[in-house]
Amino acid sequence: MRGTAEMQMQDKEPAAPQRYPQGEVSRVPTRCASCNLHDLCLPCGLSGQDLDRIEELVYTRKRLDRGENLYRAGDDFSSLYAVRSGFFKTVQTLEDGREQVTGFHMAGEIMGMDGIGPETHSGSAVALEDSEVCVIPYSRLEKLGREMPQFHHQFHKVMSREIVQERSVMLLLGTMRAEERLAAFLLNLSQRFTARGYSASEFYLRMTREEIGSYLGLKLETVSRAFSRFQEDGLISVHQKHIQILDVLGLRRCMGQKSD
Amino acid sequence: MRGTAEMQMQDKEPAAPQRYPQGEVSRVPTRCASCNLHDLCLPCGLSGQDLDRIEELVYTRKRLDRGENLYRAGDDFSSLYAVRSGFFKTVQTLEDGREQVTGFHMAGEIMGMDGIGPETHSGSAVALEDSEVCVIPYSRLEKLGREMPQFHHQFHKVMSREIVQERSVMLLLGTMRAEERLAAFLLNLSQRFTARGYSASEFYLRMTREEIGSYLGLKLETVSRAFSRFQEDGLISVHQKHIQILDVLGLRRCMGQKSD
DNA sequence: CGGGGATTTGACACATATCAAGAGCGGTGG
DNA sequence: CCACCGCTCTTGATATGTGTCAAATCCCCG
C-alpha cells in the first residue's frame, strides 16, 4: 500500500495550499505519459503506446491565481480543463442571481464538460488557490477519440462518472440532514485526497464555510455548527481550515442515522 | 410555429398516458430515419446520409408494462435506452435504503448513461406507464461514433446536456423553496411537452405526489399543499393528475421571489 | 359496491435559516 | 514590530418553512 513508483507525492502529508511564485512558467513536462496524475486523469487506464499518442492532447498549460476565473458562465466552449495542481470550485447561477457551488475539483479532475452540449459554459470555474490546468482543446479530444477506441471509451467513462457523481449530490441535497451532508462531504474529500497520495485523515480545506454551505445547500452558520458538533463528539478536530478526521467510522455512522 | 412536417403528433392535445394492448408487438419502423422523434433524440442534428447510417444503431425495441424495471441498480451495463413512448423515472438508492427520484424521462430522452463509467448501473429506471424504448447497444454506439464524427459529437452533446440538467436540479435542491421547486418542475414539464408537440398548458402527470416530492426533495404533503396554494392563487388548476397551467408568468414570477 | 392506495388538510414538532454580536486571523501600512 | 482593518468563523436567540403524525376524502379498479 505504499506509494507506487508513479505516485511521486509523499504519502501521509496533509494536502496544503500551494503558492507558485508569480510569473514562473511551468517547466514540468506537458506530456501526459510522464505526468504523475495520468492514472487519475483522462488517460487513466491507457496502455503504453496509447499513452504516448495522447501527448497530442494537451498543448497548453494555464496558470491561475487564486480567485481567478478559468471560465465564466456564457463563455464560448472550446476546451476541457484537467486540474494539474491547485483547487477549483464550479458555480452555477440562477437568473435571479442566486448561485450555488456545484463542485470542488482537485488534481486530475476534468472541468468544463458542461459546455459541450450548449457550446457555451453554463457555469463558471474559479481557482480557490493558485492553480494550474492542462488545456484540452475539444476538437483534439474528438479527433484522438476517433483514432483511439480506448481513449474514446475512456472519455465517455469520465463523463458518465460526472453524471453519477452529480446524482449522488442530488441524493445528498434531497434526502440528507445537515450533519449527514457535512459528514458525506468530509468523507468524500478524504477519499479523494487519499487517491492522490495525501493523508486520508488530515487536510486543509481550500474553501470557506460559505462555499461549503453553498455546495451542501446549507447556510454557513449551519456548516459551522455542524463542524463544532463533530468536534464536541470527537469525530474530527477543526482549526480554521485545518481538518483532522479522528473517527472515520463515527462519521460514516452519522450518515445513515435517518429513521425514514 | 406550427408543428413541422416531421412533427406528426397533433398540437395542443394534452399528453395523456397511453396503454398498449398487452402482447402487441411494435410494428412502427425501427429505423431512426423514419422515427418522428429523431430530432429530439440521439440522431438530432444529423443530415440525410448520416441519418441513414444510424439505423444500425437500434436493433431492438423493448416494451415495458407500467411499474416494470428497465434496469436496476447493480445491473451490468450494456446498452443505453431511448424512450420511444411512455414515461419513466430513474431512482438512486443510498446504502441505508433511502432513495430519491433523480429524473423523469419522456419520448426522445436517453437513459442509462450512468452505467458507462462504472460498467454497472448506479440507479434504476422504472416505467411509470406502459412504455417502449429503443435499445442502443453501447458497443454499436461507440463503433458508429468512430465512423461518423457528427454522430460522435452528437452523443457527447447528449451527455453534456445531462450534466447541465443535473446541475440545474442541484440548484433547485440547494437554493429553492418548496413552491419555487414545484413551479420550476411544472414549467420544465410544460416545456418538454411543448417540444414534443403537446399542449404547453395542459397535461397529465404520470407520477404520484410522492414521486414528485422525492424528485424535488420534499415530502408528498408539502407537494400537495403547494399544488393547493397554486390553485388558490389561480396559477394552475389541478384535478388529480390533470394539470392546467393558467398563468405561466405567475409561475415564473414565483420562482424568483427569494430576497437572498 | 367495496377496498386500498393516493391525495388533501390540519395541528404540531423540529431542523435550519435568520439576525446579531463578538472573536480570531491575516494582511497592510505606519 | 505593532495596530488596525476586513474577512471569516463561531455562537446565541429567535423565526420560519417544512416534516411528521393523523384523520378524512377521493378515486380508481376489481
Side-chain angles (χ1 to χ4, degrees), chain B residues 210-245:
Chain B
E210 184 166 19
E211 286 162 335
I212 297 174
S214 172
Y215 179 62
L216 299 177
L218 302 169
K219 293 294 163 183
L220 67 97
E221 294 95 328
T222 306
V223 173
S224 178
R225 279 185 243 272
F227 270 125
S228 302
R229 187 81 207 293
F230 284 166
Q231 184 152 244
E232 277 168 34
D233 295 353
L235 299 178
I236 65 176
S237 123
V238 194
H239 292 99
Q240 298 292 119
K241 310 228 177 207
H242 180 240
I243 303 286
Q244 253 183 298
I245 297 182

Side-chain angles (χ1 to χ4, degrees), chain A residues 11-250:
Chain A
D11 207 287
K12 295 291 155 201
E13 277 304 304
Q18 307 177 336
R19 287 210 152 257
Y20 294 99
Q22 252 305 72
E24 190 203 333
V25 171
S26 157
R27 276 291 149 246
V28 265
T30 316
R31 300 172 52 249
C32 290
S34 54
C35 174
N36 55 6
L37 292 169
H38 70 70
D39 56 351
L40 285 167
C41 194
L42 247 190
C44 152
L46 292 188
S47 56
Q49 50 185 32
D50 280 352
L51 204 49
D52 289 337
R53 288 232 40 204
I54 279 280
E55 65 178 289
E56 299 168 27
L57 197 59
V58 175
Y59 77 132
T60 316
R61 294 264 182 85
K62 186 168 174 183
R63 175 77 52 92
L64 290 104
D65 288 338
R66 173 181 175 172
E68 213 178 324
N69 272 73
L70 176 58
Y71 54 81
R72 290 169 200 274
D75 282 359
D76 283 347
F77 168 76
S78 66
S79 303
L80 299 180
Y81 305 93
V83 181
R84 165 70 203 165
S85 68
F87 209 87
F88 288 81
K89 66 172 177 183
T90 44
V91 180
Q92 207 76 12
T93 308
L94 226 50
E95 311 78 50
D96 62 10
R98 276 181 280 180
E99 60 174 47
Q100 179 168 18
V101 172
T102 54
F104 296 108
H105 307 276
M106 54 177 81
E109 297 178 341
I110 309 294
M111 296 182 291
M113 294 180 287
D114 60 333
I116 302 175
E119 294 177 17
T120 258
H121 287 288
S122 72
S124 310
V126 184
L128 293 182
E129 63 186 33
D130 294 358
S131 304
E132 201 181 18
V133 297
C134 298
V135 179
I136 306 173
Y138 176 70
S139 56
R140 228 174 256 221
L141 187 146
E142 274 207 334
K143 176 167 170 292
L144 271 183
R146 247 172 281 134
E147 298 165 2
M148 300 168 55
Q150 265 309 311
F151 178 68
H152 185 188
H153 184 56
Q154 192 51 42
F155 178 56
H156 288 178
K157 281 190 163 189
V158 169
M159 289 199 95
S160 168
R161 278 194 222 106
E162 179 78 16
I163 290 173
V164 172
Q165 159 66 16
E166 289 187 1
R167 292 212 180 147
S168 84
V169 175
M170 287 175 57
L171 238 154
L172 178 148
L173 291 170
T175 72
M176 292 186 178
R177 308 175 40 246
E179 292 183 9
E180 299 181 277
R181 295 185 199 188
L182 188 65
F185 172 70
L186 291 175
L187 290 171
N188 175 269
L189 274 188
S190 160
Q191 179 255 306
R192 282 153 76 197
F193 280 130
T194 308
R196 281 154 186 81
Y198 295 112
S199 166
S201 59
E202 190 179 2
F203 47 83
Y204 288 90
L205 297 173
R206 269 70 169 183
M207 67 296 279
T208 65
R209 304 287 189 258
E210 184 165 20
E211 286 162 335
I212 296 174
S214 172
Y215 179 61
L216 299 177
L218 302 169
K219 293 296 164 182
L220 68 98
E221 294 95 327
T222 306
V223 173
S224 178
R225 279 186 244 270
F227 270 125
S228 302
R229 188 83 207 294
F230 285 166
Q231 183 152 245
E232 278 168 34
D233 295 353
L235 299 177
I236 64 176
S237 123
V238 194
H239 290 99
Q240 296 293 121
K241 312 228 178 206
H242 180 239
I243 303 286
Q244 251 184 298
I245 297 183
L246 305 174
D247 181 358
V248 188
L249 292 176

Side-chain angles (χ1 to χ4, degrees), chain B:
Chain B
M1 277 308 297
R2 274 310 170 89
T4 54
E6 62 274 29
M7 192 87 81
Q8 287 155 351
M9 297 158 284
Q10 60 280 58
D11 209 287
K12 293 294 151 199
E13 276 303 305
Q18 305 178 336
R19 291 213 149 253
Y20 294 98
Q22 253 305 76
E24 189 203 331
V25 172
S26 157
R27 277 289 149 248
V28 265
T30 315
R31 300 173 50 252
C32 290
S34 55
C35 174
N36 56 6
L37 292 169
H38 71 69
D39 57 351
L40 284 167
C41 194
L42 248 190
C44 151
L46 292 189
S47 56
Q49 51 185 32
D50 281 350
L51 203 48
D52 290 336
R53 288 231 41 203
I54 279 279
E55 63 178 290
E56 302 168 27
L57 197 59
V58 176
Y59 76 131
T60 317
R61 294 264 183 85
K62 186 168 176 181
R63 172 82 49 93
L64 290 103
D65 289 338
R66 174 180 173 172
E68 213 178 324
N69 271 73
L70 176 58
Y71 55 80
R72 290 170 199 275
D75 283 358
D76 282 348
F77 168 75
S78 65
S79 303
L80 299 180
Y81 305 93
V83 181
R84 164 71 202 166
S85 68
F87 209 90
F88 288 82
K89 67 172 176 182
T90 44
V91 180
Q92 206 78 11
T93 308
L94 227 51
E95 312 77 51
D96 62 10
R98 278 180 279 180
E99 60 174 46
Q100 179 167 19
V101 172
T102 53
F104 296 108
H105 307 275
M106 54 177 82
E109 297 178 341
I110 309 294
M111 296 182 292
M113 293 180 288
D114 59 332
I116 303 175
E119 295 177 16
T120 258
H121 287 288
S122 73
S124 309
V126 183
L128 292 183
E129 63 186 31
D130 294 358
S131 304
E132 202 180 17
V133 297
C134 298
V135 180
I136 306 172
Y138 176 69
S139 55
R140 230 174 256 221
L141 186 144
E142 273 208 334
K143 175 167 172 293
L144 271 184
R146 247 172 280 134
E147 298 165 2
M148 300 168 54
Q150 266 309 310
F151 178 68
H152 186 189
H153 184 55
Q154 193 51 42
F155 177 56
H156 288 177
K157 281 190 164 188
V158 169
M159 290 199 94
S160 167
R161 277 194 221 104
E162 179 77 17
I163 290 172
V164 172
Q165 158 66 16
E166 290 187 1
R167 292 212 180 148
S168 85
V169 175
M170 286 176 56
L171 238 153
L172 178 148
L173 291 170
T175 71
M176 292 187 176
R177 297 158 14 68
E179 292 183 9
E180 299 181 277
R181 296 185 198 188
L182 188 64
F185 173 69
L186 291 174
L187 291 171
N188 176 268
L189 274 187
S190 160
Q191 178 255 307
R192 282 153 75 197
F193 280 130
T194 308
R196 281 153 187 80
Y198 296 111
S199 166
S201 60
E202 189 180 2
F203 47 83
Y204 287 90
L205 298 172
R206 270 68 169 184
M207 67 298 279
T208 65
R209 303 287 190 257
E210 184 166 19
E211 286 162 335
I212 297 174
S214 172
Y215 179 62
L216 299 177
L218 302 169
K219 293 294 163 183
L220 67 97
E221 294 95 328
T222 306
V223 173
S224 178
R225 279 185 243 272
F227 270 125
S228 302
R229 187 81 207 293
F230 284 166
Q231 184 152 244
E232 277 168 34
D233 295 353
L235 299 178
I236 65 176
S237 123
V238 194
H239 292 99
Q240 298 292 119
K241 310 228 177 207
H242 180 240
I243 303 286
Q244 253 183 298
I245 297 182
L246 305 174
D247 181 359
V248 188
L249 292 176
L251 280 181
R252 285 231 184 84
R253 226 174 302 121
C254 156
M255 281 181 58
Q257 63 190 6
K258 188 77 180 292
S259 60
D260 175 52

